[in-house]
Amino acid sequence: MTAPSLATAAEAAQLTPSFDAARLASELRAVTAHTWGAQRIHTYGGQAGQATTIDWRVLPLRSLGGDGERTDPGGPGPQVFAATRWLDLLPYLAEVLRSVPAPMNAVRLMALGPGAVSNPHRDPKYRLDRGMVRLHLPITTDPEAVLVLDGVEHCWQPGELWYGDFSREHLVRNTSRATRVHTVIDVLLTAELAAWFPACWQNLLTRGEVLLNHVTPAAILPWSSRLPYATRLPSGFADFDASAPLDGALLSARIDTEPDGVLTLTVAGRAFALAPVDGTEWRFSGWSEQRTLQPDGEGGLWLRVRRGRALADRRVPAAPRTP
């Protein structure tokens, strides 16, 4: 039997949990006394990009370094994702987020003002075959405040939890007089989260070209070789736009623990925090198990690249070194 294809999957799915819309809306008052920052994109190099010119504002609840002013979704870089001070003011929403069975990156409250319309765009990293998904939990909305995703118009309701394939073309449009506020949650897809999808999705999620990540380990084990650790990585491995991550010239790289305790890979002048997959394998923080590293204890480092259930790997020489 042929495995189901992502190309034929629906553009969105409502997940099984629903949450208390009244409590979510009531809590929102605790964080609306000030003007939120403008929505920004995340650019190559780990920086926040240019601010949007429409009335589309963001309050970060989880961000790189727990920065309460950073409104972009973040990505791989020297900092890990952490809760901001704003999440402390939203205890019910914090409880909801803790219930999501998946490693979590950015979480943002996103407010689309009256009359705001975004340009059509794609967010290519949020793909099931990359193991990264974006969820929406609406808090306030209006029938005239819509998401158009892959040509289909959606108006998701407060308290519902939705998955959307935002690698497809989409835009948001608010022609009402009210502000639409959604909680936008970026997570890694796990088998536990996949179980929240409707029954009609389960064949794709269990047999299709989907990358399932591990849940965050209960205990973080140290890097299994002595640090600092020297290796040489193909130039494509830390380039998240590269189509062939295992190819390219070999560049000197170093893995070590930073003063704040974060295990960090430094290559080509850039630093990347690493996150544990299990006891021996590590991924880039802010990314999925689409790219991982695993020391073999025998003078080598295994680099692995996944696309759905497909796996490619490459062993490069590596060893502990004198600081």
Side-chain angles (χ1 to χ4, degrees):
M1 181 182 295
T2 303
S5 170
L6 289 178
T8 60
E11 79 290 344
Q14 184 178 354
L15 306 192
T16 50
S18 59
F19 302 98
D20 190 327
R23 289 181 70 184
L24 291 168
S26 177
E27 281 192 343
L28 190 61
R29 302 187 190 102
V31 294
T32 53
H34 71 289
T35 301
W36 297 357
Q39 147 75 346
R40 293 178 182 269
I41 62 171
H42 180 257
T43 64
Y44 181 81
Q47 302 302 312
Q50 186 175 4
T52 183
T53 57
I54 66 172
D55 186 8
W56 197 6
R57 297 191 171 273
V58 172
L59 188 74
L61 305 183
R62 280 180 58 86
S63 68
L64 288 171
D67 185 345
E69 307 303 321
R70 185 158 182 167
T71 62
D72 67 296
Q79 296 176 304
V80 299
F81 284 91
T84 72
R85 65 185 184 277
W86 303 114
L87 190 56
D88 292 337
L89 302 176
L90 304 166
Y92 177 61
L93 182 52
E95 178 185 326
V96 169
L97 296 176
R98 286 193 297 270
S99 75
V100 178
M104 192 167 289
N105 291 332
V107 179
R108 299 173 294 163
L109 292 178
M110 301 189 70
L112 189 69
V117 182
S118 76
N119 291 323
H121 61 285
R122 299 171 186 263
D123 299 307
K125 72 179 181 181
Y126 300 105
R127 291 176 52 95
L128 292 174
D129 59 355
R130 285 189 165 191
M132 290 184 278
V133 296
R134 175 164 283 176
L135 309 178
H136 275 234
L137 173 62
I139 297 180
T140 64
T141 193
D142 184 276
E144 296 180 16
V146 299
L147 162 72
V148 182
L149 177 57
D150 200 23
V152 181
E153 191 170 287
H154 292 270
C155 184
W156 299 333
Q157 295 305 298
E160 297 175 348
L161 184 64
W162 282 83
Y163 157 77
D165 182 355
F166 291 97
S167 70
R168 305 185 192 188
E169 186 174 272
H170 60 280
L171 61 84
V172 287
R173 181 179 68 237
N174 185 3
T175 56
S176 77
R177 297 182 178 180
T179 297
R180 163 198 185 263
V181 179
H182 281 202
T183 314
V184 179
I185 308 165
D186 295 340
V187 297
L188 305 189
L189 182 66
T190 63
E192 293 80 359
L193 180 59
W196 285 13
F197 280 68
C200 61
W201 280 73
Q202 293 306 314
N203 190 34
L204 170 64
L205 294 170
T206 57
R207 298 183 60 251
E209 56 214 72
V210 171
L211 172 56
L212 296 176
N213 299 270
H214 292 72
V215 296
T216 302
I220 298 177
L221 298 177
W223 183 260
S224 58
S225 291
R226 184 165 51 85
L227 297 171
Y229 189 83
T231 186
R232 292 173 66 82
L233 299 182
S235 58
F237 196 71
D239 178 357
F240 296 90
D241 293 322
S243 58
L246 296 177
D247 294 344
L250 290 177
L251 305 176
S252 295
R254 186 176 190 266
I255 297 171
D256 203 356
T257 303
E258 295 300 307
D260 60 3
V262 175
L263 187 70
T264 300
L265 165 71
T266 303
V267 59
R270 295 185 63 198
F272 299 93
L274 300 178
V277 170
D278 54 24
T280 60
E281 197 167 3
W282 296 74
R283 60 175 173 84
F284 290 90
S285 181
W287 203 254
S288 70
E289 292 171 37
Q290 189 253 351
R291 303 180 192 201
T292 62
L293 310 90
Q294 184 177 32
D296 65 10
E298 299 178 355
L301 177 68
W302 283 102
L303 310 178
R304 296 192 175 95
V305 174
R306 299 169 175 88
R307 187 69 178 252
R309 285 170 165 74
L311 171 67
D313 57 26
R314 178 177 179 180
R315 186 178 185 271
V316 293
R321 75 176 189 186
T322 303

